[in-house]
C-alpha cells in the first residue's frame, strides 16, 4: 500500500513538473503592428515580473517563452504600453496604440533631461518626424512655424546661403553695425545659441536635417539660465541620431525636386517703358514748376538714341528677368544604420544634398558623414564617441545678375545678329551689362570642411551618482574664392579690373564640460542635482588676398601670381575664452510640487578688466493641479499644470557686434602723404571702455499646461516679461577726437508677450486619424531707458530712418507720415510747403503750417512682426497620409529694397532711365494717391517705399502612401513610404515686391523666392 502511495505521489510530481516544464518552454510568436496595420520594429516584449525579454525584428515579429497565466508586456516609445494575459497557444498578434503624450515625454534642458510633465521652464520640442516632414535643405527652415514665439526670417534665398534672423521672444539686444543692418538693427548676432551634441555654434547650415533626432528650444530665462552669459537670446539644443539596442536597422531616404521662381513683381514692357519715359520727362518739368507740360510735348529723340528708337520700331521687347531664370534641381540622399546590444550601441550615416538656384551658377553641394558609439565598459564606466563631418561647396553665383535684370531697359537686345551675347544691350548703355554673361564670368565659391566631435566618459560610483567629463571640439577649414572676369559687370571689359580674391580661414573651438549629477528618490521626495564646470575656447585665423589685372580668365582665382596688381593682403587672429561654474537643483514633492533652482557664474575674456565675471540665477516652480484632490471629480481637464519662473541671463556683447578685444583701443596700420611721399602710419581704431560690463536679461514667465477631453486637446499658454539692462551698443564719436567710436552700456529695454500652443486630435477611429497643431505668439518690445538722460539714438540702415527711442521698439522706423500725393487742384497749398502736384504729401503733425524734422516725425512702424502664428495639419487614412504647414507674420514694416531699386531709378536723368515696376503712379491724367509722379518725388518720396511686409505662407503640402506590409514581406522590407511634396507653394501678402520675408535685403546678391516640386521615399530594412 505504501509503495502504491509512493508511486502515485511520484507520478503526481512528475506530471506536475512535466506540465510546468512544458509551459515554461512554450515558444510564443507573433507580430506587433500599429493602428494602421504596419509592423512596428524594436518593440520591447517582456514577461512581466521576469527578466525574459526580446525586441521585435524589422518585420515586427517576435518569439518569447511563456506559460499560461503569464502577462506579456509590449512597450515602445510613442505607443501606449500594452499588457496581455497569455492564455496559451503558439501565436499572439497585438496592436499598439499611439500615445501622443509619451512622444515628447523626455525634454532636454541642458546638461540633462527631465520628463515633460515635470518641466518648470518654457521649452518646446521639435521631433525628428516634424523635421523630416518639413523636407528642408537646412535645419533652420525646418524650425519655421513649429514653435510659438520663435520667429524665423529668411534673409537669403540663394541655395546654401544660410541667412536667417531668428528671434526667440523678440529682440534682446541692439547691433549698430551699419553694414550688417539690412533689417533694422536685427542681425544674426542676436540669434539664439545653438548647441549641437554639446558644442556651441552660431550657425547650423552644415547639418543634414535628416540626421537630427530632436531639437529642444529653451525660451524663458529659467530654462536658458543654465547657459548663463550665452543664453540671453534663447538656446536651441540639437541632438543628432544615435544607436539603439536591437538588431541592425537600415534606413534610406531620398527626395528629388525641381525649383522655380515665383511671386515675381511685374515690370514694364517696351511699350509701357516708352510711356513711362515720357512721364518722367513730364515729372522733371513739374519739379521745375512747369505744371502745363504734358506727354505730347516730349520729344523722344532728346532722350533715346537712334539705336534705341530703331529697336522700338522693330518691336524689341526684352524680358531680362525671364531670360535669367532657370529651373533649379534639388535632391537629398540619406543612408543610416544603427543597432547594438544591451551594453553597446552604434550608429552611422552618409548623406548628400544638392540644391540649385533659379539663376545659372547658383548651387550648393553638401556631404555629411556621421558615426557614434556608446558602450558600458563596466557596470560603473560608460564611454561614448560621436563624430560629425561635413564637406560643402557653395557657389552663390553672380551678385550682379539679379539686380541688372531688373534695371535694364526692355528696349535693349540680349543677342547680336550672329546669335552671340551682346555685352551692352545698347551702345548708349555703358553701366549695366548683359546679365547673361555673369554665370560664365563671375564666381563666388566657398568650400569648407567641418568636424564636430565629442568624447565622453561617465563614471557611476554608486546608484544615483554620475560624473561625466566631455570634450567637444569644432574644427572648420574654409576657403572663399572669387573671380570677376573680363565680361562681368564689375570689370566691363577692362582687363586691368579683372579681380581674384582668395580668403582662407581656420577655426577651432572646444567645450570641456565636467558634469556631476546626483538623483535621489524616496517616498514623496525626489531630488536631481547637477553641478557643472565648463570651459569654452575659440580661436580663428583669417587671411585675405585680392589681386587684379589678369591677362586671361583661364586661371580664375587659382593663380594669384598671374595678376600684376596686388590690391589687398590682410590677416586677422581672434581668440576668446569663457569659463563657467553651474549648479542646478530639481526637487519634486509628492510628485505634484516641482522646484528648480539654477545658478551660473561666468567669466568672459571679451569684457573689460574688473567686469569679466557675473552671476546668473534662476528659480522656477511647477504645480501639477491635475493631481490635487479637488480636481479628481471634475470632467473638463485631463491635465493641468501651472509654471512660474524667474531667471537672469547675460550677453557679453557678441550679439551687439562686440568682438574679442573690441572693448580696447587697438592700433591699425595706415598711410599718409608727406611731401609727396607715402608714409606708413599707425592709428587707434577705437576708444577703450574700462567700464564695459555684461548686458543682462531678467525674465518672469507664467505658464499653464493643459489637456481636455481626455487629452484630445492639449496645449500651453505662456506670458512673460523680459527686462534687458546694460544694452551694449557701439556709439560713434566726433572725428575731431581721433577715434571712430566706443562700445558702451547705453540703456534698457523690455519684451512682453504671450505664447499659445495647441494640439488637437480631431478624429481617431482606427482608420482615420487627423491631428492639428496651432501656434500663436505676440510680442511688444520697447526701449525703456537710455543712459545719460537721452531720449533717442538716431541711425540709419538699409534706407530706413531708424531710431532707438524711449517708449518705442528697438530699431523703430522714425519718419514723416505719408498723407497721399499733392493733386493738381492743391497746387496753391502745395506751394506753401515748397512742393508741387505729383509729389509726396506728409502730415503736419503739430499743425503749425511747417514741416520740420523735430516736430513732424514720429514712429511709423517696426521691423519685427507684432504677432506670428502657424498651423500644422496631419491626416492618416489607411495607408495614405496628408499634411501641410501654414505660417504667418503680421505687423512688420520695412523700407522695401525692391521699390528702392525699381521706383524710380535715375528718374532725374531720363536719358539713363532704368526700367521700373508696374505701379499706379501719379500723372496729370491719373490722380493716384498712392505713388508719386516719376521724376517728381519731392522731399519725401522715400516714404512710399515703407511697406507693410505682413505675409502668410504655405510652407509645404505633402501626400504620402505607405506600401502594405503584405507586399513588402517577400522583399524583407520593414516599411516603404513614397510621397510627393510641394515646398512654399503659396504666399499671401499685400507686398508687391520680391519676398515679404526679406523685403529689406539689398538687391545686390539677392535671389528669387522659389517653390519646389519634389517626390521621395522612406525605406527601412
Amino acid at each position: 500500500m505504501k509503495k502504491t502511495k509512493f508511486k502515485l505521489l511520484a507520478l503526481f510530481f512528475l506530471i506536475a513538473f512535466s506540465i510546468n516544464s512544458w509551459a515554461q518552454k512554450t515558444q510564443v510568436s507573433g507580430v506587433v503592428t500599429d493602428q494602421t496595420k504596419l509592423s512596428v520594429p524594436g518593440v520591447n516584449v517582456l514577461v512581466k515580473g521576469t527578466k525574459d525579454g526580446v525586441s521585435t525584428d524589422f518585420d515586427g515579429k517576435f518569439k518569447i517563452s511563456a506559460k499560461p497565466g503569464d502577462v506579456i508586456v509590449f512597450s515602445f516609445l510613442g505607443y501606449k504600453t500594452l499588457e496581455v494575459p497569455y492564455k496559451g497557444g503558439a501565436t499572439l498578434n497585438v496592436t499598439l496604440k499611439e500615445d501622443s503624450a509619451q512622444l515628447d515625454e523626455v525634454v532636454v534642458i541642458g546638461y540633462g533631461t527631465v520628463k515633460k510633465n515635470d518641466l518648470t521652464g518654457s521649452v518646446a520640442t521639435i521631433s525628428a518626424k516634424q523635421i523630416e516632414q518639413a523636407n528642408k535643405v537646412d535645419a533652420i527652415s525646418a524650425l519655421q512655424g513649429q514653435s510659438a514665439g520663435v520667429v524665423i526670417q529668411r534673409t537669403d534665398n540663394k541655395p546654401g546661403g544660410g541667412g536667417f534672423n531668428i528671434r526667440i521672444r523678440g529682440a534682446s539686444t541692439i547691433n549698430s553695425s551699419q553694414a550688417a543692418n539690412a533689417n533694422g538693427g536685427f542681425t544674426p548676432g542676436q540669434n539664439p545659441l545653438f548647441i549641437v551634441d554639446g558644442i556651441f555654434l552660431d550657425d547650423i547650415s552644415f547639418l543634414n536635417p535628416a540626421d537630427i533626432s530632436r531639437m529642444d528650444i529653451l525660451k524663458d530665462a529659467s530654462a536658458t539660465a543654465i547657459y548663463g552669459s550665452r543664453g540671453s537670446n534663447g538656446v536651441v539644443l540639437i541632438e543628432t541620431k544615435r544607436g539603439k539596442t536591437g538588431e541592425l536597422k537600415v534606413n534610406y531616404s531620398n527626395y528629388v525636386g525641381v525649383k522655380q521662381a515665383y511671386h515675381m513683381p511685374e515690370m514694364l514692357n517696351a511699350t509701357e517703358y516708352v510711356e513711362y519715359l515720357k512721364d518722367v520727362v513730364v515729372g522733371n518739368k513739374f519739379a521745375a514748376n512747369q505744371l502745363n507740360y504734358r506727354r505730347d510735348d516730349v520729344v523722344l529723340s532728346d532722350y533715346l538714341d537712334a539705336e534705341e528708337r530703331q529697336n522700338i520700331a522693330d518691336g524689341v521687347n526684352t524680358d531680362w528677368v525671364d531670360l535669367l531664370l532657370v529651373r533649379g534641381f534639388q535632391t537629398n540622399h540619406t543612408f543610416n544604420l544603427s543597432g547594438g546590444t544591451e551594453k553597446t550601441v552604434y550608429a552611422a550615416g552618409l548623406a548628400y544634398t544638392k540644391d540649385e538656384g533659379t539663376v545659372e551658377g547658383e548651387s550648393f553641394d553638401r556631404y555629411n558623414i556621421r558615426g557614434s558609439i556608446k558602450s558600458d565598459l563596466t557596470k560603473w564606466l560608460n564611454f561614448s564617441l560621436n563624430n560629425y563631418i561635413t564637406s560643402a561647396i557653395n557657389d552663390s553665383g553672380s551678385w550682379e545678375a539679379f539686380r541688372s535684370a531688373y534695371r535694364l531697359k526692355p528696349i535693349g537686345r540680349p543677342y547680336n545678329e550672329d546669335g552671340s551675347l551682346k555685352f551692352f544691350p545698347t551702345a548708349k548703355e555703358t553701366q549695366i551689362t548683359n546679365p547673361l554673361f555673369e554665370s560664365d564670368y563671375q564666381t563666388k565659391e566657398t568650400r569648407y570642411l567641418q568636424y564636430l566631435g565629442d568624447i565622453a566618459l561617465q563614471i557611476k560610483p554608486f546608484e544615483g551618482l554620475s560624473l561625466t567629463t566631455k570634450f567637444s571640439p569644432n574644427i572648420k577649414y574654409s576657403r572663399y574664392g572669387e573671380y570677376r572676369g573680363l565680361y562681368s559687370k564689375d570689370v566691363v571689359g577692362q582687363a586691368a579690373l579683372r579681380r581674384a580674391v582668395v580668403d582662407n580661414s581656420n577655426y577651432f573651438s572646444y567645450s570641456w564640460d565636467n558634469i556631476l549629477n546626483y538623483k535621489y528618490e524616496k517616498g514623496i521626495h525626489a531630488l536631481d542635482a547637477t553641478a557643472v564646470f565648463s570651459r569654452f575656447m575659440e580661436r580663428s585665423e583669417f587671411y585675405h588676398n585680392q589681386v587684379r589685372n589678369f591677362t586671361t580668365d583661364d586661371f580664375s582665382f587659382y593663380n594669384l601670381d598671374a595678376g600684376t596688381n596686388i590690391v589687398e593682403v590682410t590677416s586677422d587672429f581672434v581668440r576668446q575664452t569663457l569659463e563657467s561654474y553651474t549648479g542646478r537643483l530639481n526637487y519634486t514633492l509628492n510628485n505634484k510640487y516641482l522646484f528648480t533652482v539654477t545658478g551660473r557664474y561666468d567669466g568672459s575674456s571679451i569684457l573689460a578688466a574688473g567686469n569679466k565675471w557675473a552671476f546668473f540665477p534662476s528659480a522656477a516652480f511647477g504645480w501639477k493641479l491635475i493631481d490635487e484632490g479637488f480636481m479628481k471629480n471634475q470632467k473638463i481637464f485631463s491635465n493641468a499644470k501651472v509654471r512660474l519662473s524667474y531667471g537672469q541671463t547675460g550677453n557679453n556683447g557678441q550679439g551687439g557686434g562686440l568682438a574679442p578685444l573690441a572693448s580696447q583701443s587697438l592700433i591699425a596700420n595706415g598711410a599718409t602723404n608727406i611731401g609727396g611721399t607715402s608714409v606708413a602710419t599707425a592709428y587707434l581704431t577705437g576708444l577703450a571702455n574700462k567700464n564695459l560690463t555684461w548686458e543682462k536679461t531678467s525674465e518672469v514667465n507664467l505658464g499653464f499646461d493643459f489637456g481636455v477631453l481626455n487629452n484630445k486637446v492639449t496645449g500651453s499658454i505662456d506670458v512673460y516679461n523680459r527686462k534687458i539692462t546694460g544694452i551694449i551698443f557701439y556709439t560713434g564719436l566726433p572725428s575731431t577726437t581721433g577715434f571712430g567710436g566706443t562700445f558702451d552700456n547705453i540703456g534698457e529695454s523690455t519684451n512682453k508677450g504671450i505664447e499659445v500652443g495647441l494640439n488637437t486630435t480631431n478624429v481617431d477611429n482606427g482608420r482615420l486619424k487627423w491631428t492639428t497643431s496651432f501656434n500663436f505668439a505676440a510680442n511688444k518690445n520697447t526701449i525703456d531707458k537710455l543712459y545719460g538722460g537721452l531720449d533717442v539714438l538716431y541711425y540709419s540702415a538699409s534706407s530706413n530712418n531708424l531710431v532707438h527711442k524711449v517708449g518705442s521698439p528697438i530699431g523703430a522706423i522714425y519718419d514723416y507720415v505719408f498723407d497721399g500725393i499733392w493733386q493738381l487742384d492743391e497746387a496753391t497749398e502745395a506751394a506753401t510747403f515748397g512742393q508741387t502736384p505729383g509729389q509726396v504729401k506728409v502730415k503736419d503733425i503739430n499743425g503749425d503750417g511747417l514741416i520740420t524734422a523735430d516736430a513732424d516725425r514720429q514712429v511709423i512702424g517696426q521691423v519685427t512682426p507684432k504677432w506670428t502664428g502657424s498651423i500644422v495639419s496631419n491626416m492618416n487614412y489607411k495607408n495614405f497620409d496628408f499634411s501641410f504647414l501654414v505660417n504667418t507674420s503680421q505687423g512688420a514694416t520695412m523700407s522695401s529694397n525692391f521699390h528702392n531699386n525699381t521706383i524710380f531709378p535715375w528718374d532725374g536723368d531720363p536719358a539713363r532711365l532704368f526700367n521700373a515696376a508696374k505701379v499706379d503712379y501719379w500723372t496729370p491724367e491719373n490722380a493716384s494717391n498712392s505713388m508719386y509722379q516719376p521724376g517728381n518725388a519731392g522731399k519725401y518720396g522715400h516714404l512710399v517705399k515703407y511697406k507693410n511686409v505682413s505675409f502668410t505662407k504655405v510652407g509645404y503640402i505633402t501626400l504620402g502612401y505607405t506600401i502594405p506590409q503584405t507586399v513588402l514581406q517577400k522583399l524583407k522590407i520593414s516599411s516603404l513610404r513614397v510621397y510627393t511634396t510641394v515646398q512654399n507653394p503659396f504666399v499671401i501678402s499685400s507686398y508687391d515686391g520680391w519676398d515679404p520675408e526679406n523685403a529689406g535685403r539689398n538687391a545686390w546678391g539677392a535671389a528669387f523666392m522659389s517653390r519646389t516640386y519634389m517626390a521621395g521615399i522612406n525605406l527601412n530594412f
Side-chain angles (χ1 to χ4, degrees):
M1 186 67 180
K2 290 183 178 180
K3 288 183 178 180
T4 302
K5 290 182 177 179
F6 175 79
K7 289 179 180 179
L8 290 172
L9 185 63
L11 181 62
F12 172 81
F13 278 110
L14 181 62
I15 293 172
F17 179 77
S18 299
I19 292 173
N20 185 54
S21 299
W22 172 82
Q24 288 180 344
K25 294 181 180 179
T26 297
Q27 289 288 313
V28 182
S29 62
V31 178
V32 180
T33 59
D34 62 14
Q35 290 170 286
T36 62
K37 303 305 180 183
L38 294 177
S39 61
V40 184
V43 176
N44 295 315
V45 184
L46 178 71
V47 176
K48 191 173 183 178
T50 74
K51 296 183 178 179
D52 299 332
V54 296
S55 295
T56 58
D57 63 16
F58 295 115
D59 299 322
K61 297 178 181 179
F62 71 93
K63 288 183 180 180
I64 194 169
S65 298
K67 64 180 184 295
D70 283 343
V71 175
I72 303 178
V73 181
F74 299 84
S75 62
F76 189 63
L77 183 64
Y79 294 87
K80 293 180 180 179
T81 298
L82 179 65
E83 295 188 0
V84 179
Y86 177 57
K87 299 178 180 179
T91 303
L92 179 62
N93 297 324
V94 299
T95 299
L96 295 183
K97 294 183 178 181
E98 282 192 9
D99 184 354
S100 59
Q102 194 185 49
L103 286 173
D104 290 329
E105 185 178 17
V106 177
V107 177
V108 180
I109 56 174
Y111 305 112
T113 60
V114 66
K115 289 183 179 180
K116 186 175 184 180
N117 201 33
D118 293 337
L119 193 64
T120 57
S122 181
V123 180
T125 298
I126 313 300
S127 68
K129 181 179 180 180
Q130 290 171 285
I131 295 168
E132 292 176 4
Q133 187 172 265
N135 263 18
K136 300 294 185 180
V137 171
D138 53 88
I140 295 297
S141 290
L143 276 176
Q144 200 162 30
Q146 300 283 7
S147 176
V150 181
V151 179
I152 298 176
Q153 176 199 35
R154 189 177 189 100
T155 61
D156 191 348
N157 285 323
K158 283 184 178 287
F164 294 94
N165 285 338
I166 307 164
R167 299 294 170 266
I168 297 179
R169 296 188 166 182
S172 296
T173 190
I174 297 173
N175 188 303
S176 60
S177 169
Q178 294 293 313
N181 275 340
N183 293 283
F186 301 97
T187 66
Q190 297 173 59
N191 287 347
L193 171 66
F194 297 101
I195 302 177
V196 179
D197 295 335
I199 302 172
F200 289 8
L201 296 164
D202 296 321
D203 173 44
I204 57 172
S205 60
F206 66 93
L207 284 174
N208 174 33
D211 289 336
I212 298 173
S213 65
R214 63 185 297 149
M215 295 187 185
D216 291 272
I217 305 172
L218 313 185
K219 296 193 284 188
D220 71 330
S222 169
T224 61
I226 195 72
Y227 291 104
S229 63
R230 302 297 297 270
S232 63
N233 296 327
V235 179
V236 180
L237 301 172
I238 299 173
E239 188 178 281
T240 56
K241 292 179 178 178
R242 297 286 188 265
K244 295 180 181 179
T245 301
E247 296 181 3
L248 175 66
K249 299 176 182 179
V250 180
N251 166 264
Y252 170 72
S253 62
N254 89 313
Y255 61 78
V256 292
V258 178
K259 294 170 65 175
Q260 67 176 32
Y262 80 115
H263 201 257
M264 309 289 288
E266 194 171 1
M267 302 294 289
L268 301 178
N269 61 31
T271 301
E272 293 163 337
Y273 174 81
V274 174
E275 296 305 304
Y276 160 65
L277 185 151
K278 294 177 182 178
D279 289 332
V280 168
V281 175
V282 174
N284 287 177
K285 299 297 184 180
F286 265 59
N289 213 29
Q290 298 179 38
L291 304 186
N292 295 320
Y293 200 88
R294 295 294 184 269
R295 276 186 182 179
D296 293 341
D297 299 322
V298 178
V299 180
L300 286 178
S301 59
D302 291 342
Y303 307 99
L304 299 175
D305 65 13
E307 179 190 9
E308 292 173 320
R309 298 197 303 273
Q310 185 60 51
N311 286 348
I312 294 171
D314 293 342
V316 172
N317 183 25
T318 304
D319 187 337
W320 294 101
V321 174
D322 187 64
L323 287 174
L324 196 65
L325 291 174
V326 297
R327 292 186 181 272
F329 176 72
Q330 188 178 94
T331 188
N332 175 273
H333 301 266
T334 300
F335 176 80
N336 292 316
L337 57 87
S338 64
T341 65
E342 292 183 1
K343 290 187 176 182
T344 302
V345 294
Y346 59 87
L350 296 170
Y352 168 66
T353 303
K354 185 175 186 64
D355 186 18
E356 294 179 339
T358 54
V359 173
E360 191 73 34
E362 299 175 348
S363 65
F364 175 65
D365 293 85
R366 183 181 62 212
Y367 304 83
N368 299 98
I369 304 174
R370 64 180 182 86
S372 67
I373 186 170
K374 183 177 181 181
S375 179
D376 292 327
L377 303 179
T378 67
K379 291 182 178 180
W380 54 269
L381 180 62
N382 176 275
F383 166 80
S384 66
L385 175 65
N386 301 303
N387 300 282
Y388 199 95
I389 301 172
T390 300
S391 176
I393 307 169
N394 182 22
D395 193 337
S396 62
S398 168
W399 280 38
E400 289 287 355
F402 180 93
R403 184 168 64 175
S404 295
Y406 278 93
R407 286 180 167 181
L408 281 172
K409 305 172 185 179
I411 58 175
R413 295 179 185 269
Y415 300 102
N416 294 305
E417 290 184 2
D418 62 1
S420 61
L421 287 175
K422 187 176 175 64
F423 187 51
F424 285 112
T426 65
K428 192 175 73 174
E429 177 62 74
T430 58
Q431 181 184 8
I432 310 300
T433 60
N434 187 339
L436 300 180
F437 276 93
E438 291 293 303
S439 61
D440 291 328
Y441 288 92
Q442 184 168 147
T443 301
K444 290 177 177 285
E445 181 191 86
T446 299
R447 288 177 177 259
Y448 67 83
L449 177 66
Q450 186 164 3
Y451 167 78
L452 268 70
D454 70 76
I455 182 170
L457 285 174
Q458 185 180 73
I459 301 173
K460 297 180 180 179
F462 55 84
E463 184 68 26
L465 180 67
S466 66
L467 174 62
T468 304
T469 183
K470 181 177 180 180
F471 183 76
S472 306
N474 176 18
I475 304 169
K476 184 176 182 179
Y477 297 99
S478 178
R479 188 270 293 148
Y480 169 75
E482 176 183 326
Y483 186 76
R484 305 184 190 186
L486 187 64
Y487 294 111
S488 65
K489 193 261 183 186
D490 300 275
V491 177
V492 291
Q494 302 179 45
L497 298 180
R498 281 176 166 140
R499 176 188 306 181
V501 173
V502 176
D503 296 337
N504 284 292
S505 62
N506 302 322
Y507 176 87
F508 172 72
S509 71
Y510 71 80
S511 298
W512 179 34
D513 298 322
N514 298 278
I515 308 166
L516 180 67
N517 181 259
Y518 177 67
K519 294 184 178 181
Y520 172 82
E521 187 172 351
K522 186 175 182 181
I524 63 173
H525 304 283
L527 183 72
D528 187 344
T530 302
V532 183
F533 165 71
S534 180
R535 184 175 178 84
F536 172 77
M537 187 282 297
E538 69 175 355
R539 69 187 299 277
S540 63
E541 301 176 25
F542 176 77
Y543 304 92
H544 169 79
N545 301 272
Q546 183 184 148
V547 180
R548 298 189 183 186
N549 195 22
F550 291 82
T551 58
T552 177
D553 292 326
D554 292 341
F555 300 125
S556 187
F557 51 78
Y558 295 108
N559 187 359
L560 298 184
D561 285 348
T564 60
N565 182 14
I566 300 175
V567 177
E568 291 177 324
V569 177
T570 61
S571 61
D572 189 32
F573 172 79
V574 175
R575 184 179 187 273
Q576 66 163 309
T577 57
L578 182 73
E579 190 167 290
S580 307
Y581 301 87
T582 306
R584 179 177 62 209
L585 180 66
N586 291 325
Y587 171 67
T588 302
L589 176 63
N590 204 25
N591 199 31
K592 290 190 293 186
Y593 309 107
L594 316 169
F595 302 88
T596 302
V597 179
T598 304
R600 178 155 171 152
Y601 190 51
D602 271 346
S604 172
S605 65
I606 293 181
L607 297 172
N611 293 318
K612 294 181 181 295
W613 288 88
F615 179 68
F616 305 98
S618 78
F621 169 69
W623 179 18
K624 297 181 182 178
L625 283 170
I626 195 65
D627 293 332
E628 295 290 354
F630 60 80
M631 295 288 286
K632 295 299 182 182
N633 295 322
Q634 56 84 34
K635 303 297 183 181
I636 300 174
F637 291 98
S638 47
N639 181 43
K641 183 177 71 174
V642 175
R643 294 175 281 106
L644 177 64
S645 67
Y646 169 82
Q648 191 175 83
T649 55
N651 185 342
N652 59 13
Q654 287 189 295
L658 179 65
L661 304 179
S663 63
Q664 303 179 26
S665 292
L666 303 179
I667 297 176
N669 296 323
T672 188
N673 188 300
I674 299 178
T677 303
S678 178
V679 178
T681 62
Y683 64 95
L684 295 175
T685 60
L687 183 63
N689 184 351
K690 299 301 182 182
N691 298 316
L692 188 68
T693 188
W694 291 89
E695 177 179 299
K696 292 186 177 181
T697 297
S698 303
E699 182 175 2
V700 177
N701 188 94
L702 177 63
F704 178 56
D705 302 328
F706 62 89
V708 297
L709 302 176
N710 197 25
N711 279 350
K712 287 185 178 179
V713 179
T714 62
S716 61
I717 301 173
D718 283 83
V719 292
Y720 60 88
N721 189 328
R722 174 183 289 180
K723 179 76 173 181
I724 303 98
T725 59
I727 294 172
I728 296 175
F729 186 76
Y730 183 80
T731 55
L733 296 173
S735 58
T736 54
T737 64
F739 299 97
T742 184
F743 283 92
D744 201 359
N745 302 102
I746 58 96
E748 302 173 3
S749 68
T750 297
N751 278 298
K752 297 179 181 179
I754 182 171
E755 298 170 353
V756 180
L758 193 65
N759 303 300
T760 65
T761 301
N762 309 308
V763 179
D764 188 3
N765 58 20
R767 293 167 63 88
L768 172 65
K769 184 173 183 179
W770 175 27
T771 62
T772 50
S773 297
F774 303 87
N775 289 314
F776 169 83
N779 177 271
K780 183 178 181 180
N781 171 265
T782 56
I783 295 283
D784 299 326
K785 183 179 181 180
L786 294 173
Y787 302 149
L790 296 175
D791 179 66
V792 62
L793 283 174
Y794 293 92
Y795 75 105
S796 179
S798 188
S799 302
N800 287 348
N801 289 317
L802 297 171
V803 295
H804 303 308
K805 181 177 174 58
V806 173
S808 299
I810 288 176
I813 301 175
Y814 189 72
D815 216 322
Y816 299 99
V817 179
F818 178 78
D819 196 28
I821 306 297
W822 289 108
Q823 302 299 320
L824 285 173
D825 59 3
E826 297 176 308
T828 302
E829 184 183 357
T832 65
F833 291 94
Q835 294 190 261
T836 68
Q839 294 182 349
V840 170
K841 182 198 307 185
V842 299
K843 288 185 178 180
D844 180 7
I845 300 297
N846 65 353
D848 63 357
L850 300 172
I851 303 297
T852 59
D854 292 336
D856 297 309
R857 287 191 300 170
Q858 63 184 40
V859 172
I860 61 173
Q862 62 184 65
V863 295
T864 52
K866 294 179 180 178
W867 66 271
T868 58
S870 66
I871 301 174
V872 180
S873 180
N874 294 286
M875 284 170 272
N876 294 82
Y877 178 71
K878 294 185 177 180
N879 287 37
F880 290 93
D881 60 86
F882 177 74
S883 61
F884 64 84
L885 178 147
V886 180
N887 69 288
T888 187
S889 172
Q890 300 293 322
T893 300
M894 288 187 187
S895 179
S896 167
N897 216 282
F898 168 75
H899 295 86
N900 286 328
N901 276 267
T902 63
I903 303 173
F904 295 105
W906 291 103
D907 62 359
D909 183 0
R912 293 192 62 194
L913 201 62
F914 293 163
N915 199 12
K918 188 180 293 187
V919 293
D920 181 30
Y921 58 75
W922 189 94
T923 69
E925 299 77 26
N926 181 43
S928 169
N929 224 358
S930 59
M931 185 60 64
Y932 61 82
Q933 181 183 27
N936 188 29
K939 307 172 186 177
Y940 314 109
H942 66 282
L943 294 178
V944 302
K945 299 170 186 179
Y946 292 126
K947 297 293 182 180
N948 183 328
V949 293
S950 299
F951 66 85
T952 298
K953 288 186 175 183
V954 178
Y956 61 80
I957 301 174
T958 298
L959 176 64
Y961 179 75
T962 301
I963 308 300
Q965 192 64 38
T966 53
V967 177
L968 302 177
Q969 285 179 344
K970 295 179 180 181
L971 302 174
K972 302 299 182 181
I973 295 175
S974 176
S975 66
L976 173 60
R977 174 178 175 264
V978 295
Y979 65 91
T980 181
T981 294
V982 55
Q983 297 277 354
N984 306 316
F986 309 112
V987 58
I988 302 170
S989 177
S990 62
Y991 177 68
D992 56 349
W994 294 307
D995 185 350
E997 192 171 353
N998 51 54
R1001 197 205 190 285
N1002 195 305
W1004 185 64
F1008 298 100
M1009 185 163 56
S1010 61
R1011 63 164 63 98
T1012 306
Y1013 300 93
M1014 62 173 62
I1017 64 171
N1018 295 317
L1019 177 64
N1020 292 286
F1021 293 94

